[in-house]
Amino acid sequence: MTGHFEDFIARARRALLGSVAGAFLLSISGAFAQDVTAPPADSAAASEIEKFCTNIADAARDQRYVLQRKDLEKLKANVDERIATLETRRAEYEDWLKRRNDFLKQAELGLVDIYKSMKPDAAAGKLEMVRPEIAAAIVMRLPPRQSSLILSEMSDEKAAMLTNIISSASDPDTSQEPS
């Protein structure tokens, strides 16, 4: 399951880096464009215009490079921020998956078979005294008919608590912040 998430992160990185590279290439294309000037009116005015253009060409090019660099730095910061967000969500997902798997393993210690053979009223009384996480794991592993009978024999508060735990354990969308 984490393989799909890692593939998603890799694709997101490639897409963002491709966007940054494309923006860079589009922004530098203007630096190599040739200036087309009108034909000179006379040679004295033409040489004066040529001197002026030559004098400011380097400053204009440098200014373009500075603006392009600022744009690229902003894009890089945005990409880094998105990658950090993805890494945070990946860590949340892995933590949730580990807790869920640990939760399910607790029910596999043979307790399910014990509670399967009990009468619903007796099982309900015993499960009310057990930690809610363990009780929910056991109820979740029992057949639906037997689980419903046990939950109906429990107090309303305990049954509601177990139901909330079971529903959150089976919900794949338990991220703290929706995407």
Side-chain angles (χ1 to χ4, degrees):
M1 192 128 204
T2 58
H4 295 293
F5 192 72
E6 289 170 359
D7 289 342
F8 171 74
I9 289 177
R11 284 185 294 199
R13 283 184 182 162
R14 283 193 301 267
L16 289 172
L17 290 176
S19 298
V20 169
F24 176 75
L25 290 175
L26 288 174
S27 65
I28 65 170
S29 63
F32 298 110
Q34 293 181 351
D35 289 335
V36 179
T37 59
D42 62 359
S43 63
S47 67
E48 196 174 315
I49 293 171
E50 187 175 323
K51 285 180 189 176
F52 175 78
C53 291
T54 305
N55 288 339
I56 68 164
D58 290 337
R61 184 179 315 117
D62 291 343
Q63 186 63 29
R64 263 195 317 267
Y65 289 151
V66 167
L67 291 174
Q68 290 170 354
R69 173 178 243 148
K70 285 181 183 178
D71 288 343
L72 287 175
E73 287 172 356
K74 286 178 187 176
L75 288 171
K76 185 182 182 307
N78 189 11
V79 167
D80 290 342
E81 181 182 326
R82 288 182 182 194
I83 289 172
T85 301
L86 284 173
E87 291 295 328
T88 302
R89 288 191 179 165
R90 184 182 61 83
E92 286 175 6
Y93 173 75
E94 286 176 352
D95 179 54
W96 174 83
L97 186 62
K98 181 188 177 304
R99 286 186 288 128
R100 182 180 182 271
N101 288 338
D102 291 344
F103 170 75
L104 291 175
K105 284 179 185 175
Q106 288 178 345
E108 301 213 10
L109 300 174
L111 293 174
V112 174
D113 291 334
I114 293 170
Y115 281 93
K116 264 186 189 176
S117 61
M118 294 177 78
K119 292 184 179 185
D121 57 341
K126 304 294 186 233
L127 286 174
E128 283 188 354
M129 292 186 264
V130 177
R131 282 193 346 224
E133 296 85 16
I134 294 173
I138 292 169
V139 169
M140 198 164 123
R141 294 291 185 154
L142 292 173
R145 181 167 174 79
Q146 190 171 9
S147 296
S148 66
L149 292 172
I150 290 173
L151 288 173
S152 69
E153 293 290 332
M154 290 182 150
S155 69
D156 291 341
E157 292 138 6
K158 287 283 188 174
M161 185 185 319
L162 295 183
T163 303
N164 285 332
I165 292 171
I166 292 169
S167 67
S168 67
S170 62
D171 184 9
D173 301 321
T174 58
S175 176
Q176 294 175 356
E177 183 181 37
S179 298

